[in-house]
Structure formats: C-alpha cells, structure tokens
Amino acid sequence: MVEASSLKMRELVFGLPEQLAEARAIADKVDYGRGGGFGRVVAAGMGGSGISAYLIHCLLADRVPTPIIPWHDYSIPAAADRGSLFFAVSYSGNTEETLTAFRQALRRKCHVIAVTSGGRLAELAERARLPLAVVPGGLPPRAALGYLFVALLAGLERLRICRSHRADLSEAVKQMAARRRVWFRRAGIVASGLQERLPLVYSTCRLLDAVAERWRCQLNENAKVMCHVNVFPEHNHNEVVGMGAPDFIASRSALVALLDSSTGARVRMRLKNVLGVTRGGYAKAMRLESEGRSRLARMFSLVMMGDMVSVELARLRGVDPVPVARIAELKRLMAEAGR
Ligand code: F6R
C-alpha cells in the first residue's frame, strides 16, 4: 500500500510543470470581476492552500506597490475594507478558518474572489455571484499548488495589481520539465542527509522565505517529520546563539540553506561565518542554489526540489506520503463539536 501511494505523490510532484501550464489555461477563462485601484490585497488560506498566498507575497512584495498580505486565520486584518481585494483560497472549499475569513471579508465589502475546487466556498461564492476560480478537484490540497498559485497570480494580473508573468511561467514550466530527473537525483542525496535528523531549513533572501515554509509543510505532511525554518539575516541576531542546544540537537540536526541570485554577498558571507561559528552545533550542512532566469522560475526550482526531497524522505522512512490522518482527525473533531 505504501508503495502505490508513494508513487502517486511522486507522480504529482513530478507533474508540477504540467499542472502549472494547465493552470494558466484554466485561469485564462476565469472572470475575476471588475475593479482597480485596490489599496491592498489580502489572500486568506490554510496549509496547502495558504502557502500559495505566501509564495505570491514573496514573489511580488518588493516589486508591486500594493501590499499583499497572506493570512492564515479565522479573523481578517483590520485593513481589509471596501478598497481591498480579498482572495479566499481553500482547495476543498470546506476549511472553517477560510470560510469564516471569507464571510468577514463579505461583510467588510471587500472585492472577494474565491479560489477552490468546490465545497461550501464554491456554493457560497456562486450564491453571492462572486468571482470564482474553480480548479480541478480530487488531489491532496498540497499537490494542487500549481493550480492555486496560478489562479491567484492570474487574478492579480487581470486586476492590474502586477504585470503579466506569462513568459516567466513558461520559463519555469520548461525548466522544471527539463531538469526534474537531475533534481530528483539531487533530492535523493538531500533526503538521505536529512534521515533521522531534524531538518533546519534556512531561507537567505525574501524571494525564498515562502519556499522554505513550503519545505516545512511538505516535510511535515509527506515525510511525517518535524522541520524547523528560519530566515537570514534575522537568524544571525538570535537563533545563532541557540544552535546546537539542547545537546541532542547538535548531533541530530541537518541544515539546508536555500540560496538565490538575489542572496546578497554579505548574506552569503554570513552563512559561511555562521557555519563556522556554530560548527559542532549541527550534524550536516547542505546548500541549494535556485536555478533559472526569472524570479518565478527560480522560486519554483526550489519548490520542486523541496517537494522531491519530501517524497524521497518519505520513501526512506517507509511512510506513506499521501494520507494526513491527524489533519483529517482534527477537522473531524472540530466539525463534531459544532460552532
Ligand atoms: C495539504 C493539506 C492541508 C490543507 C489544509 C487546508 O494537502 O491536506 O494542509 O491544505 O488543511 O485545507 P484546504 O486546502 O482544503 O483549505
């Protein structure tokens, strides 16, 4: 059973470029509504859906003048008002935090767009005649990242929050399809370095902060392990002191630094120096550089690498990457308790 299921997640991970290309064609047909001059964008979602909003934030935050706020809670920011564009992103359409945030956004008269494969969110959006981006269903939400990410990006393009990313997306798709076999071999090596160790995943530039977070989520859900994430240079002002303690962490942690061409020379120097001053505080250190020309292609090169590492680590650990029994159990318990 573990075998067949692992294979399925591996195929889904391998299929990310095709999913991104298909997502673009789907998004081109979506009516995102009219409007413009939004003061801010809020994108609310949890887990495998919410990460798409965080990736969008990291891709665009230092490129577009409109603040893009990724949000992962029941309540919405006080700044969400009638001048705000609000995305409710829930793959299943039934996540209670996202549904609650969605209802609040309607009450605040935001320009609300629902992104989902169905469920209650689709019903409510249809009933209220709201813009609705429907993505194909039947996947574990985290394996629908390509659909959700592109649905958000296309909405932002259409409502003139950002420029077109069509060329960048096709670069990403082509690169991922061409490089995936090589990356998968590399992912196997990284996964063996993480085996029986606590992964410490460090982002070294703002483009990769959400990518590090995606690594954590995928290692949690696919490989069923804990994972710690932090960002440079902030790490150098606190965590550097705690590294290697308690003692068992020192021999049982493996560090993965995610680097990009936008990682500055000073931050690269910081990484080298941190590895030096904390020597003995971790069992292994690995560096991974993003690949590609555009920011989007570079971002997704390391998203795909993290996804691959998570399925490889699941295989090494002999666990089935697909089911997330505890998430399902928690959702059931919360639903049973009522509101
Ligand atoms: C990912 C996963 C979870 C969900 C999260 C929210 O595969 O199972 O992280 O994404 O529980 O659910 P949705 O995405 O349906 O809103």
Side-chain angles (χ1 to χ4, degrees), residues 204-218:
T204 59
C205 59
R206 302 303 61 85
L207 180 70
L208 299 180
D209 288 355
V211 176
E213 195 60 17
R214 169 72 174 179
W215 272 62
R216 181 181 66 74
C217 300
Q218 292 290 76

Side-chain angles (χ1 to χ4, degrees), residues 46-49 89-93 95 98 140-143 221 324 327 331:
M46 307 303 295
S49 295
V89 195
S90 170
Y91 184 71
S92 64
T95 299
T98 314
R142 60 192 181 283
E221 294 185 57
V324 282
I327 298 178
K331 287 186 179 180

Side-chain angles (χ1 to χ4, degrees), residues 32 66 139 181 212 226 269:
Y32 287 94
T66 316
L139 298 172
R181 302 218 167 270
M226 283 295 288
M269 189 187 294

Side-chain angles (χ1 to χ4, degrees), residues 185-203:
R185 279 196 292 279
R186 198 176 296 162
I189 299 167
V190 176
S192 25
L194 297 180
Q195 224 186 338
E196 296 303 323
R197 295 184 175 134
L198 173 70
L200 312 176
V201 180
Y202 293 143
S203 159

